[in-house]
């Protein structure tokens, strides 16, 4: 347990609505990540952050934005949710030894 | 893009037997990490092995790394029903985005009591 909390854990939303997922960490790690996991694709990086207000895109960033206004919180926003964004979303942190720990996941269904 | 490829895709064994899973990757790496995921749950970190290491142990787990062959293996000894899960390798590629682990699709391990 690396002190990572994701919220909400489960959400059903309608196509076209905005959705924000929150990742909260308690151990002051500099690097935070958002991944999505889909059958047949494994885990893929959406965005990551290397400090407050410092973020960069990952492999599958289209349709997503992120913000990090505090060290402990990393928000993932779907501006206008689509059915292709139905997925399981995992937040992760990297510790000082370069080990990457994951949160418990957020299950998002877009109907 | 997929870096790691686990082999086999599925493995079914009896309790008490050893389970070996393999991972191959394509580019130079800084480290390779193994994870376990139970159905409907998050990923649990098992072991990190750095590019200059050849073998690491943690309890019943043994991980090897052969950078010349770009491959790694995870051995679980004396398996238990509770080891039933999917196992993923993930590589931190040299020159890649900071901490952008690239995952394989996993090996689904089933341990029968």
């Amino acid at each position: 347990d690396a002190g990572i909390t994701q919220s909400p854990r489960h959400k059903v939303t309608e196509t076209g609505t905005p959705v924000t997922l929150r990742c909260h960490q308690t151990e002051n790690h500099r690097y935070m990540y958002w991944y999505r996991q889909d059958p047949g694709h494994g885990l893929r990086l959406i965005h990551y952050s290397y400090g407050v207000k410092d973020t960069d895109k990952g492999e599958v960033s289209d349709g997503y934005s992120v913000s990090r206004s505090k060290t402990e919180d990393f928000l993932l926003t779907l501006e206008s949710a689509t059915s292709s964004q139905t997925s399981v979303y995992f937040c992760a942190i990297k510790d000082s030894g370069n080990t990457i720990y994951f949160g418990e996941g957020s299950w998002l269904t877009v109907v | 893009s997929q870096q790691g490829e686990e082999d086999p895709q599925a493995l079914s064994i009896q309790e008490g037997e050893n389970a070996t899973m393999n991972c191959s990757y394509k580019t130079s790496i800084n480290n390779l990490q193994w994870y376990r995921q139970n159905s409907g749950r998050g990923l649990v970190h098992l072991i990190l092995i750095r590019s200059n290491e050849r073998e690491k142990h943690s309890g019943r787990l043994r991980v090897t790394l052969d950078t010349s062959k770009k491959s790694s293996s995870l051995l679980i000894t004396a398996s238990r029903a509770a080891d039933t899960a999917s196992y993923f390798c993930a590589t931190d590629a040299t020159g890649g985005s900071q901490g952008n682990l690239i995952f394989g699709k996993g090996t689904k391990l089933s341990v029968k009591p």
Side-chain angles (χ1 to χ4, degrees), chain A residues 9 31 33 35 37 40-43 45 48 57-59 90 94 97-105 107, chain B residues 1-2 30-31 33 35 37 39-45 48 50 88 92 97-105:
Chain A
R9 296 290 316 282
Y31 286 90
Y33 308 86
Y35 283 81
Q37 184 178 32
H41 290 281
L43 280 96
L45 181 69
Y48 68 99
K57 296 178 180 180
E59 180 187 354
F90 287 100
K94 182 168 70 170
N98 290 327
T99 297
I100 295 184
Y101 294 98
F102 287 82
E104 281 292 308
W107 273 252
Chain B
S1 60
Q2 187 176 321
N30 296 313
N31 63 66
Q33 306 188 40
Y35 293 85
Q37 185 178 34
S39 181
R41 302 296 302 275
L43 284 87
V44 174
H45 187 268
L48 179 153
R50 303 185 195 285
F88 297 90
D92 180 358
S97 300
Q98 286 292 329
N100 182 10
L101 291 184
I102 302 177
F103 283 80
K105 294 182 182 177

Side-chain angles (χ1 to χ4, degrees), chain B residues 6-104:
Chain B
E6 289 93 345
D7 168 51
Q9 291 187 343
L11 180 60
S12 183
I13 59 174
Q14 295 293 131
E15 233 177 2
E17 293 180 340
N18 295 342
T20 300
M21 288 158 268
N22 302 298
C23 169
S24 60
Y25 57 91
K26 296 173 185 170
T27 64
S28 297
I29 60 171
N30 296 313
N31 63 66
L32 185 147
Q33 306 188 40
W34 282 93
Y35 293 85
R36 183 187 75 233
Q37 185 178 34
N38 292 86
S39 181
R41 302 296 302 275
L43 284 87
V44 174
H45 187 268
L46 298 176
I47 289 185
L48 179 153
I49 187 164
R50 303 185 195 285
S51 60
N52 61 352
E53 297 175 312
R54 292 296 165 257
E55 188 171 311
K56 282 189 88 167
H57 296 256
S58 176
R60 293 182 297 112
L61 307 180
R62 173 179 169 250
V63 167
T64 61
L65 179 65
D66 187 334
T67 53
S68 67
K69 295 181 179 177
K70 292 188 169 57
S71 68
S72 174
S73 67
L74 170 67
L75 168 67
I76 304 174
T77 59
S79 63
R80 305 167 182 167
D83 294 327
T84 294
S86 292
Y87 292 82
F88 297 90
C89 69
T91 52
D92 180 358
T94 305
S97 300
Q98 286 292 329
N100 182 10
L101 291 184
I102 302 177
F103 283 80

